[in-house]
Amino acid sequence: MRFISKRLPLFLAVVAMCCNSLYSQTASYKVLDSETSSSSNVKLKMIVYGKSKKTIDIEAQCAAVRAVLFDGCPNTPYSKALMEDGEVTTSERHPQYMESLYSGRYTDFIASYSATSAFKKGDDKKGTEYIIEVKALSLRKDLEKNGVKKRLGL
């Protein structure tokens, strides 16, 4: 019994991290508008279709990072996706990087975020609107540093 009580907090922490990572990858989203907020940041106006009020902020931040990585941001210097191979291919080629990104490192690339509408349980027609500023240049440099994306130029 003592063995179980000592290991239970560790087990719960691991489960929470896995669930956090799984939630962040499953929220669907739609980018409504994008603009450059500085030379290195992109501001996205988006709708996130989440199922839980408890996880919607996490899902929204991860969705913004996913949008910059795999969709690109029209009307900005980051109009092309940083990872043009797509999410599935990138996740298969670099599983450790993507897992660490979705399980907590995504916050390193979020400059700010705010919900601009009340939470609405997501479906095809309802979602929660956010304005999220992503540090796109920092994200690109991190991808290059970790060998996920080849450097431009040289």
Side-chain angles (χ1 to χ4, degrees):
M1 189 65 167
R2 275 182 47 205
F3 177 76
I4 292 173
S5 65
K6 286 183 180 180
R7 303 279 188 224
L8 186 59
L10 177 63
F11 174 75
L12 292 175
V14 169
V15 168
M17 284 185 352
C18 289
C19 290
N20 180 25
S21 151
L22 292 174
Y23 279 128
S24 65
Q25 295 180 47
T26 57
S28 60
Y29 61 90
K30 181 166 82 175
V31 175
L32 302 174
D33 190 29
S34 59
E35 63 185 47
T36 305
S37 60
S38 72
S39 61
S40 59
N41 293 358
V42 173
K43 188 182 285 186
L44 301 172
K45 182 177 182 181
M46 59 194 316
I47 295 178
V48 180
Y49 303 99
K51 303 287 184 202
S52 169
K53 190 174 185 175
K54 291 179 182 178
T55 61
I56 191 69
D57 286 343
I58 293 168
E59 291 172 341
Q61 292 174 69
C62 287
V65 170
R66 285 173 55 206
V68 173
L69 280 174
F70 304 112
D71 300 331
C73 305
N75 309 318
T76 73
Y78 303 97
S79 59
K80 291 176 68 176
L82 291 178
M83 299 304 300
E84 294 177 356
D85 291 340
E87 189 168 6
V88 174
T89 303
T90 302
S91 295
E92 288 171 354
R93 289 183 183 163
H94 307 282
Q96 287 180 318
Y97 180 85
M98 297 308 290
E99 180 60 34
S100 73
L101 180 67
Y102 288 134
S103 63
R105 290 195 58 239
Y106 64 89
T107 59
D108 296 345
F109 307 107
I110 301 295
S112 65
Y113 74 96
S114 64
T116 57
S117 70
F119 172 76
K120 297 176 191 123
K121 190 171 183 174
D123 63 21
D124 291 340
K125 297 182 179 150
K126 293 188 294 183
T128 307
E129 193 172 298
Y130 278 86
I131 294 180
I132 303 176
E133 189 171 347
V134 179
K135 301 174 187 174
L137 181 61
S138 296
L139 180 57
R140 193 198 82 203
K141 287 183 177 182
D142 190 67
L143 292 166
E144 292 171 352
K145 178 182 153 196
N146 288 287
V148 178
K149 179 176 178 62
K150 292 183 180 175
R151 293 186 181 194
L152 299 176
L154 309 171

PDB file of all heavy atoms in Angstrom, residues 83 85 90 93-95 97-98 105 139-151:
ATOM      1  N   MET A  83       6.644  24.716 -41.612  1.00  0.00           N
ATOM      2  CA  MET A  83       6.877  23.298 -41.903  1.00  0.00           C
ATOM      3  C   MET A  83       5.949  22.894 -43.048  1.00  0.00           C
ATOM      4  O   MET A  83       4.802  22.535 -42.819  1.00  0.00           O
ATOM      5  CB  MET A  83       6.622  22.438 -40.663  1.00  0.00           C
ATOM      6  CG  MET A  83       7.523  22.765 -39.479  1.00  0.00           C
ATOM      7  SD  MET A  83       9.281  22.673 -39.842  1.00  0.00           S
ATOM      8  CE  MET A  83       9.457  20.980 -40.344  1.00  0.00           C
ATOM      9  N   ASP A  85       6.024  20.349 -44.922  1.00  0.00           N
ATOM     10  CA  ASP A  85       5.758  18.913 -45.058  1.00  0.00           C
ATOM     11  C   ASP A  85       4.434  18.503 -44.433  1.00  0.00           C
ATOM     12  O   ASP A  85       3.949  17.411 -44.667  1.00  0.00           O
ATOM     13  CB  ASP A  85       6.881  18.082 -44.413  1.00  0.00           C
ATOM     14  CG  ASP A  85       8.182  18.196 -45.183  1.00  0.00           C
ATOM     15  OD1 ASP A  85       8.144  18.569 -46.372  1.00  0.00           O
ATOM     16  OD2 ASP A  85       9.232  17.912 -44.596  1.00  0.00           O
ATOM     17  N   THR A  90       5.794  15.846 -40.169  1.00  0.00           N
ATOM     18  CA  THR A  90       6.706  16.449 -39.189  1.00  0.00           C
ATOM     19  C   THR A  90       6.655  15.691 -37.872  1.00  0.00           C
ATOM     20  O   THR A  90       7.698  15.434 -37.257  1.00  0.00           O
ATOM     21  CB  THR A  90       6.353  17.933 -38.970  1.00  0.00           C
ATOM     22  OG1 THR A  90       6.427  18.615 -40.225  1.00  0.00           O
ATOM     23  CG2 THR A  90       7.300  18.584 -37.982  1.00  0.00           C
ATOM     24  N   ARG A  93       8.588  12.414 -38.282  1.00  0.00           N
ATOM     25  CA  ARG A  93      10.040  12.594 -38.408  1.00  0.00           C
ATOM     26  C   ARG A  93      10.697  13.120 -37.135  1.00  0.00           C
ATOM     27  O   ARG A  93      11.859  12.853 -36.878  1.00  0.00           O
ATOM     28  CB  ARG A  93      10.357  13.557 -39.552  1.00  0.00           C
ATOM     29  CG  ARG A  93      10.092  12.970 -40.904  1.00  0.00           C
ATOM     30  CD  ARG A  93      10.491  13.933 -41.992  1.00  0.00           C
ATOM     31  NE  ARG A  93      10.181  13.391 -43.296  1.00  0.00           N
ATOM     32  CZ  ARG A  93      10.108  14.096 -44.404  1.00  0.00           C
ATOM     33  NH1 ARG A  93      10.332  15.399 -44.360  1.00  0.00           N
ATOM     34  NH2 ARG A  93       9.817  13.531 -45.543  1.00  0.00           N
ATOM     35  N   HIS A  94       9.953  13.900 -36.356  1.00  0.00           N
ATOM     36  CA  HIS A  94      10.515  14.546 -35.160  1.00  0.00           C
ATOM     37  C   HIS A  94       9.559  14.397 -33.973  1.00  0.00           C
ATOM     38  O   HIS A  94       9.095  15.392 -33.420  1.00  0.00           O
ATOM     39  CB  HIS A  94      10.778  16.029 -35.442  1.00  0.00           C
ATOM     40  CG  HIS A  94      11.611  16.257 -36.653  1.00  0.00           C
ATOM     41  ND1 HIS A  94      12.975  16.090 -36.657  1.00  0.00           N
ATOM     42  CD2 HIS A  94      11.266  16.632 -37.913  1.00  0.00           C
ATOM     43  CE1 HIS A  94      13.438  16.356 -37.864  1.00  0.00           C
ATOM     44  NE2 HIS A  94      12.422  16.666 -38.655  1.00  0.00           N
ATOM     45  N   PRO A  95       9.275  13.163 -33.562  1.00  0.00           N
ATOM     46  CA  PRO A  95       8.268  12.957 -32.511  1.00  0.00           C
ATOM     47  C   PRO A  95       8.642  13.575 -31.166  1.00  0.00           C
ATOM     48  O   PRO A  95       7.775  14.108 -30.474  1.00  0.00           O
ATOM     49  CB  PRO A  95       8.151  11.437 -32.415  1.00  0.00           C
ATOM     50  CG  PRO A  95       9.421  10.912 -32.988  1.00  0.00           C
ATOM     51  CD  PRO A  95       9.845  11.901 -34.017  1.00  0.00           C
ATOM     52  N   TYR A  97      10.540  16.243 -30.530  1.00  0.00           N
ATOM     53  CA  TYR A  97      10.399  17.695 -30.580  1.00  0.00           C
ATOM     54  C   TYR A  97       8.922  18.091 -30.506  1.00  0.00           C
ATOM     55  O   TYR A  97       8.541  18.973 -29.727  1.00  0.00           O
ATOM     56  CB  TYR A  97      11.028  18.272 -31.851  1.00  0.00           C
ATOM     57  CG  TYR A  97      10.893  19.775 -31.906  1.00  0.00           C
ATOM     58  CD1 TYR A  97      11.818  20.587 -31.270  1.00  0.00           C
ATOM     59  CD2 TYR A  97       9.819  20.381 -32.558  1.00  0.00           C
ATOM     60  CE1 TYR A  97      11.685  21.974 -31.286  1.00  0.00           C
ATOM     61  CE2 TYR A  97       9.675  21.756 -32.582  1.00  0.00           C
ATOM     62  CZ  TYR A  97      10.610  22.548 -31.949  1.00  0.00           C
ATOM     63  OH  TYR A  97      10.457  23.911 -31.951  1.00  0.00           O
ATOM     64  N   MET A  98       8.087  17.452 -31.314  1.00  0.00           N
ATOM     65  CA  MET A  98       6.673  17.813 -31.349  1.00  0.00           C
ATOM     66  C   MET A  98       5.991  17.514 -30.013  1.00  0.00           C
ATOM     67  O   MET A  98       5.161  18.298 -29.551  1.00  0.00           O
ATOM     68  CB  MET A  98       5.963  17.083 -32.495  1.00  0.00           C
ATOM     69  CG  MET A  98       6.498  17.455 -33.883  1.00  0.00           C
ATOM     70  SD  MET A  98       6.566  19.230 -34.214  1.00  0.00           S
ATOM     71  CE  MET A  98       4.833  19.600 -34.333  1.00  0.00           C
ATOM     72  N   ARG A 105       6.198  23.444 -24.148  1.00  0.00           N
ATOM     73  CA  ARG A 105       7.110  24.430 -24.733  1.00  0.00           C
ATOM     74  C   ARG A 105       6.397  25.447 -25.613  1.00  0.00           C
ATOM     75  O   ARG A 105       6.953  26.502 -25.921  1.00  0.00           O
ATOM     76  CB  ARG A 105       8.220  23.742 -25.534  1.00  0.00           C
ATOM     77  CG  ARG A 105       9.195  23.011 -24.636  1.00  0.00           C
ATOM     78  CD  ARG A 105      10.481  22.630 -25.329  1.00  0.00           C
ATOM     79  NE  ARG A 105      11.163  23.796 -25.854  1.00  0.00           N
ATOM     80  CZ  ARG A 105      11.457  23.969 -27.141  1.00  0.00           C
ATOM     81  NH1 ARG A 105      11.147  23.067 -28.037  1.00  0.00           N
ATOM     82  NH2 ARG A 105      12.080  25.050 -27.544  1.00  0.00           N
ATOM     83  N   LEU A 139      10.130  30.880 -33.020  1.00  0.00           N
ATOM     84  CA  LEU A 139       9.718  29.510 -33.336  1.00  0.00           C
ATOM     85  C   LEU A 139      10.547  28.969 -34.493  1.00  0.00           C
ATOM     86  O   LEU A 139      11.056  27.846 -34.429  1.00  0.00           O
ATOM     87  CB  LEU A 139       8.227  29.480 -33.672  1.00  0.00           C
ATOM     88  CG  LEU A 139       7.618  28.135 -34.025  1.00  0.00           C
ATOM     89  CD1 LEU A 139       7.834  27.107 -32.916  1.00  0.00           C
ATOM     90  CD2 LEU A 139       6.130  28.291 -34.304  1.00  0.00           C
ATOM     91  N   ARG A 140      10.720  29.763 -35.535  1.00  0.00           N
ATOM     92  CA  ARG A 140      11.525  29.327 -36.676  1.00  0.00           C
ATOM     93  C   ARG A 140      12.966  29.035 -36.271  1.00  0.00           C
ATOM     94  O   ARG A 140      13.545  28.015 -36.640  1.00  0.00           O
ATOM     95  CB  ARG A 140      11.510  30.377 -37.792  1.00  0.00           C
ATOM     96  CG  ARG A 140      12.085  29.806 -39.104  1.00  0.00           C
ATOM     97  CD  ARG A 140      12.485  30.852 -40.079  1.00  0.00           C
ATOM     98  NE  ARG A 140      13.810  31.312 -39.687  1.00  0.00           N
ATOM     99  CZ  ARG A 140      14.326  32.478 -40.001  1.00  0.00           C
ATOM    100  NH1 ARG A 140      13.642  33.333 -40.697  1.00  0.00           N
ATOM    101  NH2 ARG A 140      15.522  32.809 -39.610  1.00  0.00           N
ATOM    102  N   LYS A 141      13.544  29.907 -35.466  1.00  0.00           N
ATOM    103  CA  LYS A 141      14.926  29.711 -35.013  1.00  0.00           C
ATOM    104  C   LYS A 141      15.047  28.465 -34.136  1.00  0.00           C
ATOM    105  O   LYS A 141      16.047  27.748 -34.204  1.00  0.00           O
ATOM    106  CB  LYS A 141      15.429  30.946 -34.275  1.00  0.00           C
ATOM    107  CG  LYS A 141      15.716  32.093 -35.220  1.00  0.00           C
ATOM    108  CD  LYS A 141      16.275  33.293 -34.494  1.00  0.00           C
ATOM    109  CE  LYS A 141      16.624  34.394 -35.488  1.00  0.00           C
ATOM    110  NZ  LYS A 141      17.217  35.564 -34.844  1.00  0.00           N
ATOM    111  N   ASP A 142      14.037  28.193 -33.334  1.00  0.00           N
ATOM    112  CA  ASP A 142      14.052  26.994 -32.497  1.00  0.00           C
ATOM    113  C   ASP A 142      13.974  25.734 -33.353  1.00  0.00           C
ATOM    114  O   ASP A 142      14.647  24.742 -33.069  1.00  0.00           O
ATOM    115  CB  ASP A 142      12.896  27.036 -31.491  1.00  0.00           C
ATOM    116  CG  ASP A 142      12.999  25.944 -30.449  1.00  0.00           C
ATOM    117  OD1 ASP A 142      13.944  26.000 -29.623  1.00  0.00           O
ATOM    118  OD2 ASP A 142      12.152  25.025 -30.456  1.00  0.00           O
ATOM    119  N   LEU A 143      13.155  25.764 -34.396  1.00  0.00           N
ATOM    120  CA  LEU A 143      13.067  24.626 -35.320  1.00  0.00           C
ATOM    121  C   LEU A 143      14.425  24.368 -35.980  1.00  0.00           C
ATOM    122  O   LEU A 143      14.855  23.218 -36.098  1.00  0.00           O
ATOM    123  CB  LEU A 143      12.016  24.895 -36.399  1.00  0.00           C
ATOM    124  CG  LEU A 143      10.557  24.940 -35.949  1.00  0.00           C
ATOM    125  CD1 LEU A 143       9.691  25.543 -37.045  1.00  0.00           C
ATOM    126  CD2 LEU A 143      10.067  23.570 -35.552  1.00  0.00           C
ATOM    127  N   GLU A 144      15.099  25.428 -36.386  1.00  0.00           N
ATOM    128  CA  GLU A 144      16.414  25.291 -37.013  1.00  0.00           C
ATOM    129  C   GLU A 144      17.447  24.775 -36.024  1.00  0.00           C
ATOM    130  O   GLU A 144      18.235  23.880 -36.337  1.00  0.00           O
ATOM    131  CB  GLU A 144      16.859  26.639 -37.587  1.00  0.00           C
ATOM    132  CG  GLU A 144      16.031  27.090 -38.769  1.00  0.00           C
ATOM    133  CD  GLU A 144      16.335  28.517 -39.210  1.00  0.00           C
ATOM    134  OE1 GLU A 144      17.089  29.233 -38.498  1.00  0.00           O
ATOM    135  OE2 GLU A 144      15.810  28.927 -40.263  1.00  0.00           O
ATOM    136  N   LYS A 145      17.448  25.323 -34.831  1.00  0.00           N
ATOM    137  CA  LYS A 145      18.408  24.929 -33.792  1.00  0.00           C
ATOM    138  C   LYS A 145      18.287  23.442 -33.437  1.00  0.00           C
ATOM    139  O   LYS A 145      19.281  22.763 -33.181  1.00  0.00           O
ATOM    140  CB  LYS A 145      18.186  25.781 -32.540  1.00  0.00           C
ATOM    141  CG  LYS A 145      19.066  25.453 -31.369  1.00  0.00           C
ATOM    142  CD  LYS A 145      18.707  26.336 -30.188  1.00  0.00           C
ATOM    143  CE  LYS A 145      19.049  25.626 -28.914  1.00  0.00           C
ATOM    144  NZ  LYS A 145      18.400  26.225 -27.769  1.00  0.00           N
ATOM    145  N   ASN A 146      17.061  22.942 -33.458  1.00  0.00           N
ATOM    146  CA  ASN A 146      16.811  21.544 -33.096  1.00  0.00           C
ATOM    147  C   ASN A 146      16.811  20.599 -34.294  1.00  0.00           C
ATOM    148  O   ASN A 146      16.467  19.429 -34.162  1.00  0.00           O
ATOM    149  CB  ASN A 146      15.496  21.437 -32.323  1.00  0.00           C
ATOM    150  CG  ASN A 146      15.627  21.996 -30.938  1.00  0.00           C
ATOM    151  OD1 ASN A 146      16.249  21.386 -30.075  1.00  0.00           O
ATOM    152  ND2 ASN A 146      15.079  23.180 -30.705  1.00  0.00           N
ATOM    153  N   GLY A 147      17.174  21.093 -35.458  1.00  0.00           N
ATOM    154  CA  GLY A 147      17.288  20.238 -36.636  1.00  0.00           C
ATOM    155  C   GLY A 147      15.968  19.795 -37.234  1.00  0.00           C
ATOM    156  O   GLY A 147      15.924  18.864 -38.041  1.00  0.00           O
ATOM    157  N   VAL A 148      14.885  20.451 -36.876  1.00  0.00           N
ATOM    158  CA  VAL A 148      13.573  20.100 -37.416  1.00  0.00           C
ATOM    159  C   VAL A 148      13.374  20.765 -38.776  1.00  0.00           C
ATOM    160  O   VAL A 148      12.758  20.209 -39.663  1.00  0.00           O
ATOM    161  CB  VAL A 148      12.451  20.513 -36.428  1.00  0.00           C
ATOM    162  CG1 VAL A 148      11.082  20.210 -36.992  1.00  0.00           C
ATOM    163  CG2 VAL A 148      12.656  19.820 -35.090  1.00  0.00           C
ATOM    164  N   LYS A 149      13.938  21.956 -38.927  1.00  0.00           N
ATOM    165  CA  LYS A 149      13.856  22.698 -40.186  1.00  0.00           C
ATOM    166  C   LYS A 149      15.272  23.088 -40.595  1.00  0.00           C
ATOM    167  O   LYS A 149      16.068  23.488 -39.756  1.00  0.00           O
ATOM    168  CB  LYS A 149      13.008  23.953 -39.979  1.00  0.00           C
ATOM    169  CG  LYS A 149      12.870  24.814 -41.219  1.00  0.00           C
ATOM    170  CD  LYS A 149      11.936  25.988 -40.943  1.00  0.00           C
ATOM    171  CE  LYS A 149      11.781  26.906 -42.118  1.00  0.00           C
ATOM    172  NZ  LYS A 149      11.202  26.314 -43.291  1.00  0.00           N
ATOM    173  N   LYS A 150      15.545  22.962 -41.880  1.00  0.00           N
ATOM    174  CA  LYS A 150      16.858  23.378 -42.377  1.00  0.00           C
ATOM    175  C   LYS A 150      16.935  24.892 -42.408  1.00  0.00           C
ATOM    176  O   LYS A 150      15.935  25.565 -42.640  1.00  0.00           O
ATOM    177  CB  LYS A 150      17.096  22.813 -43.777  1.00  0.00           C
ATOM    178  CG  LYS A 150      17.238  21.320 -43.764  1.00  0.00           C
ATOM    179  CD  LYS A 150      17.544  20.801 -45.140  1.00  0.00           C
ATOM    180  CE  LYS A 150      17.681  19.285 -45.055  1.00  0.00           C
ATOM    181  NZ  LYS A 150      17.856  18.688 -46.347  1.00  0.00           N
ATOM    182  N   ARG A 151      18.135  25.384 -42.184  1.00  0.00           N
ATOM    183  CA  ARG A 151      18.343  26.827 -42.198  1.00  0.00           C
ATOM    184  C   ARG A 151      18.224  27.377 -43.597  1.00  0.00           C
ATOM    185  O   ARG A 151      18.625  26.725 -44.562  1.00  0.00           O
ATOM    186  CB  ARG A 151      19.702  27.169 -41.628  1.00  0.00           C
ATOM    187  CG  ARG A 151      19.748  26.846 -40.180  1.00  0.00           C
ATOM    188  CD  ARG A 151      20.994  27.283 -39.537  1.00  0.00           C
ATOM    189  NE  ARG A 151      20.829  26.848 -38.139  1.00  0.00           N
ATOM    190  CZ  ARG A 151      21.554  27.237 -37.168  1.00  0.00           C
ATOM    191  NH1 ARG A 151      22.531  28.040 -37.385  1.00  0.00           N
ATOM    192  NH2 ARG A 151      21.322  26.801 -35.950  1.00  0.00           N
TER     193      ARG A 151
END
